[in-house]
Amino acid sequence: MSILANPFSRLGKNHRHNVQTLKSQPLAELSGSLGDLGTLLPLMTALVVTNSISLPSTLLFTGAANVFTGLAFGIPLPVQPMKAIAAVAIARKFTMEENAAAGLVVAALVGIFSITGLINWANRVTPIPVVKGIQVGAGLSLCLSAGTTMLKPLEWAGPWWGDNLLWTIAAVVLLLVTFVYPKLPYALIVFAVGLIFSALGPASSNPVESSTSIPVLHPSARDFWYATSTASLGQLPLTILNSVIAASALASDLLPSPSYPSAPSVTSLGLSVTVINFVGCWFGAMPACHGSGGLAGQYRFGARSGSSIIFLGLVKFLLGILAFWSGDHIVTLLAGIPKSLLGVLVLAAGVELAKVGESVNTDARDLREQNGDLPWDGKTVRDLDERDRKERFMVMLVTVAAILAFKNDAVGFITGLVWHWGFQGARKLEAWREERAGLPFWRHVEHTRPELMRLIAQEESDTVA
């Protein structure tokens, strides 16, 4: 009974937080629930068009996953596509079996890492500046993606009046208005306008063909091998670093306890990704995970609790039922939403995610000083000297640069670790040199910390006196 007490207690706290937040700011929660659509809609639509996923299955199972996530964690944690798998599936026109196999392989490996504690160990030993670098890199990657694939191809007036650079400017101006009126349901307004434009647009008269059934898939050994070698291995580091480690860290930064439910652990996020895909992929649903980018987007547009995600999940579930009868029309409507509007949503989410890098030297997790087991008070942090600040910032910057240069989170992660270890090695070498010079031992161990520097200054002052 004691084993069940803690989970049920957490669920109760999450439920109270969800209800109270929804009552106090309903429009903000509804608007925030749409903050990740700029990433979801283009990828989901493209996968449906290539017949790599089933639309009803994707809407039903990811909708159920949204509801599960909102109840289990009590924060606006997204359920979004596995982007690397989606990119390969679209480019290679994966069958449903191949796409499902790719998601199942990643889910199985993440589950093994979570159960064995490897993912928790990786989270503990990964320097915070590297985690921040992954977050900033993901945010800037979103911005670059929005600019190059959504906004750059647009013209000022054509070819369609509802999707051009003029609407992009209008969406940006409205976004700036939210600085003065932060409770304005920006994403809700933009999405509603996008649906209206889509219904009036030229694509509405040419429905996109899509699967309206829920298949039961049986991927073969060949499907698993092909999917693993082409898509799964590229997705695995992205899921572990961005969807688990970075998402857990971002939740702690944006929604600190005790004002919000405690941030989900990397183990719980890893197991959540495993369960979501083990349930849905067998039925043609899109491989999905959590992500720091989606969390940043939903937070940016007002979401502060799991009620926003629960609402989105219920809407998806309803659309999934409707997709049985009119799946083609739903895909056409979603695919017709102007890129000028979706692009601004993605840009805003990317900037919100990249913004967390500013705290690397102020109130990052490894700088917070807690009083025993009590929650952090939001104020007490460890002081850093100038060298610490420069090194932490450089590690974060190098991680970001590698992610953007190679378009690979794993390369950025390894590069950031190498830079961090390089700085640590330089300090040890300096300490060894000072020891060789005959200085007292206590003066060269961690000699850059402010309190030790003060001790050295005090000793020298006493000697002169």
Side-chain angles (χ1 to χ4, degrees):
M1 187 68 181
S2 60
I3 297 177
L4 298 175
N6 186 41
F8 283 126
S9 174
R10 181 186 177 93
L11 287 175
K13 292 178 181 178
N14 292 346
H15 175 69
R16 288 190 293 273
H17 174 69
N18 290 342
V19 172
Q20 291 170 1
T21 306
L22 183 61
K23 286 181 178 180
S24 63
Q25 49 174 43
L27 282 180
E29 290 296 298
L30 297 184
S31 178
S33 70
L34 306 176
D36 192 36
L37 291 185
T39 301
L40 172 67
L41 292 182
L43 291 177
M44 183 179 71
T45 303
L47 288 169
V48 169
V49 171
T50 57
N51 203 32
S52 297
I53 61 173
S54 162
L55 179 63
S57 291
T58 295
L59 291 172
L60 289 172
F61 284 102
T62 60
N66 279 126
V67 174
F68 161 75
T69 299
L71 293 174
F73 300 115
I75 61 174
L77 191 67
V79 176
Q80 54 185 196
M82 289 189 178
K83 298 180 185 64
I85 289 179
V88 174
I90 294 167
R92 296 175 178 261
K93 291 182 169 52
F94 270 14
T95 64
M96 287 192 188
E97 287 79 8
E98 291 167 345
N99 199 50
L104 289 169
V105 169
V106 173
L109 292 174
V110 171
I112 291 172
F113 292 159
S114 300
I115 292 172
T116 58
L118 287 175
I119 203 165
N120 191 45
W121 171 82
N123 181 56
R124 288 199 315 270
V125 301
T126 302
I128 294 300
V130 175
V131 176
K132 292 283 186 183
I134 294 171
Q135 293 171 330
V136 175
L140 295 180
S141 296
L142 283 178
C143 294
L144 292 173
S145 175
T148 55
T149 63
M150 293 184 178
L151 300 180
K152 186 177 180 179
L154 297 179
E155 301 176 8
W156 284 104
W160 174 41
W161 63 267
D163 192 12
N164 53 55
L165 291 175
L166 293 177
W167 287 112
T168 300
I169 294 175
V172 171
V173 170
L174 182 61
L175 181 63
L176 296 177
V177 172
T178 63
F179 295 163
V180 182
Y181 301 100
K183 293 187 178 181
L184 184 73
Y186 178 83
L188 194 61
I189 294 173
V190 170
F191 184 63
V193 172
L195 287 178
I196 295 172
F197 282 9
S198 178
L200 298 175
S204 61
S205 58
N206 300 305
V208 178
E209 293 185 4
S210 64
S211 173
T212 58
S213 63
I214 296 183
V216 179
L217 304 178
H218 301 88
S220 65
R222 181 258 172 204
D223 292 328
F224 277 105
W225 170 251
Y226 181 61
T228 301
S229 60
T230 57
S232 298
L233 294 181
Q235 178 65 49
L236 183 61
L238 184 62
T239 296
I240 291 176
L241 297 173
N242 185 45
S243 301
V244 177
I245 294 177
S248 176
L250 184 65
S252 177
D253 289 339
L254 294 181
L255 305 163
S257 58
S259 300
Y260 300 94
S262 56
S265 66
V266 292
T267 300
S268 62
L269 288 183
L271 292 175
S272 174
V273 170
T274 300
V275 171
I276 288 171
N277 289 281
F278 269 12
V279 172
C281 285
W282 297 106
F283 301 97
M286 173 183 65
C289 58
H290 305 300
S292 56
L295 174 57
Q298 287 161 168
Y299 179 90
R300 170 63 182 83
F301 296 117
R304 296 295 185 273
S305 77
S307 61
S308 61
I309 304 302
I310 294 172
F311 168 76
L312 178 62
L314 294 176
V315 171
K316 283 184 181 179
F317 207 86
L318 177 60
L319 290 175
I321 295 174
L322 294 176
F324 281 113
W325 292 277
S326 57
D328 295 348
H329 295 291
I330 291 177
V331 175
T332 302
L333 187 65
L334 296 178
I337 295 178
K339 290 182 172 60
S340 58
L341 303 182
L342 288 178
V344 176
L345 286 177
V346 176
L347 274 175
V351 170
E352 186 68 27
L353 179 55
K355 192 174 68 175
V356 303
E358 67 181 355
S359 65
V360 67
N361 287 328
T362 54
D363 62 350
R365 282 184 301 153
D366 60 335
L367 302 180
R368 299 174 183 175
E369 295 185 344
Q370 295 180 241
N371 183 13
D373 295 331
L374 296 177
W376 181 53
D377 61 8
K379 300 177 182 178
T380 309
V381 294
R382 177 165 58 89
D383 290 330
L384 296 174
D385 65 13
E386 189 64 22
R387 179 174 178 178
D388 281 323
R389 291 176 179 276
K390 288 182 178 180
E391 290 182 356
R392 288 168 65 90
F393 182 78
M394 181 59 69
V395 169
M396 182 183 73
L397 188 62
V398 167
T399 304
V400 173
I403 290 174
L404 296 182
F406 295 94
K407 298 181 180 180
N408 190 307
D409 282 30
V411 173
F413 173 73
I414 294 172
T415 305
L417 284 181
V418 169
W419 238 256
H420 172 77
W421 291 334
F423 284 134
Q424 296 298 311
R427 291 190 178 219
K428 290 181 180 179
L429 180 59
E430 290 175 6
W432 176 76
R433 285 177 175 175
E434 292 185 3
E435 184 178 6
R436 296 262 303 188
L439 293 176
F441 177 77
W442 70 271
R443 291 189 59 179
H444 64 73
V445 178
E446 297 180 316
H447 61 284
T448 57
R449 287 191 177 181
E451 60 270 21
L452 291 179
M453 296 299 291
R454 287 194 295 269
L455 287 173
I456 293 173
Q458 182 63 43
E459 181 193 69
E460 293 173 347
S461 175
D462 294 343
T463 302
V464 173

